[in-house]
Amino acid sequence: MMMLALPVPISRLLVPAAVRINSRSAAHLAALGHGAGRVKKTSDAQHHKTKIDEIITRLQKLGTGPLCDADKGHRLAASTSDDPDVQKYKGLNLMDTDLMKLRHAPDDAMPSVMVGVARTVQMSRPNDFLAVLCALTELSTGDVLVVNTGGSTRAVAGSLFTTEASRRGCTGIVVDGPIRDVNGLECFAFSTKVTPYAGTVQHLGDGVDTSSVICAGVMVNPGDIIFADSDGVICGSVDSFSTCLHDAEHIVAAEERLIQGMKLGVSLHSMTNFDDHISARKEGKESSLTFKDLRTVKFTGVDHVEVS
């Protein structure tokens, strides 16, 4: 799919207010409250959870491509802007696509993307997955388990693990290391390796969400949002995803209009500033490839089409 610039500088687009969340789960935050402060802490935790739920609902209609396009624009804006609020954008991070592979997506998955809140596990002993099994008991609806196996060569999850994870409402697992039972997995499953050999279950480890983990070259923090589809796995803070949402939605809408036009006989190039862009680049001038105003495109065989 073509990556086209937005017709309006991305730094000027309206974006949702950034949202922050502690690395612990909202339920855990609420449980920390006591005495006079408990009501406020519980209220804050519920507010965080509501914000994350809203972001996840909107993300379910997107894909990694539009999110990466939006991220690219915001990174550029952050590196060139004098606005401190724009400069603080940290960005989304794509796990190494040569390493992290989609092993299973549920046939009935609607939407066809994996999105949820990261629950992290760092295995202290390679080839022993008791820490991962213990983490399973703490998973709940909307979680994505992210595991660094510490260089394991034995599988740390398979059909039994993912079936239980699915039963608990877990959206999926992302493993820097091997998993197995590819044909019998239940939830979304991504991993860097596959092996039929399972590890041992003797070492407890440090528990879930006790540290950040490296997964396919990307640092994942407890509470980060994980978004994945067949093209790859993206990780980022709630703030970063919140910042990208509006622009990614705009890109999806524009691409849908382009596809509609092509299906009705209009060329892709005619719906962009392609000719002007080529001329400008031949002259060495700065230029961006942008969509035209697709709300009033005249499609072949139709007098006039308004695309809202």
Side-chain angles (χ1 to χ4, degrees), residues 91-131:
L92 306 179
N93 298 294
L94 176 66
M95 294 185 186
D96 190 333
T97 54
D98 288 334
L99 298 175
M100 188 60 67
K101 302 292 185 181
L102 173 63
R103 308 300 179 180
H104 177 74
D107 293 335
D108 59 348
M110 290 300 292
S112 58
V113 297
M114 181 186 77
V115 56
V117 177
R119 306 296 304 276
T120 62
V121 173
Q122 175 64 58
M123 285 174 48
S124 58
R125 299 287 186 94
N127 300 324
D128 189 286
F129 66 97
L130 184 56

Side-chain angles (χ1 to χ4, degrees), residues 206-275:
D206 297 326
V208 65
D209 291 346
T210 57
S211 68
S212 301
V213 298
I214 299 292
C215 206
V218 168
M219 178 72 77
V220 181
N221 303 304
D224 279 351
I225 290 179
I226 304 294
F227 182 95
D229 58 19
S230 55
D231 285 348
V233 182
I234 297 174
C235 170
S237 68
V238 175
D239 286 353
S240 292
F241 272 99
S242 178
T243 299
C244 286
L245 265 176
H246 177 84
D247 302 328
E249 289 168 338
H250 182 91
I251 291 168
V252 168
E255 290 182 345
E256 288 176 349
R257 294 167 191 165
L258 290 171
I259 291 172
Q260 180 185 12
M262 286 183 281
K263 287 182 176 179
L264 291 172
V266 181
S267 75
L268 173 62
H269 299 79
S270 69
M271 292 186 288
T272 70
N273 68 333
F274 179 79
D275 292 336

Side-chain angles (χ1 to χ4, degrees), residues 31 130 151 183 185 189 191 222 248 260 300:
L130 184 56
N183 292 330
L185 300 174
S191 73
Q260 180 185 12
T300 300

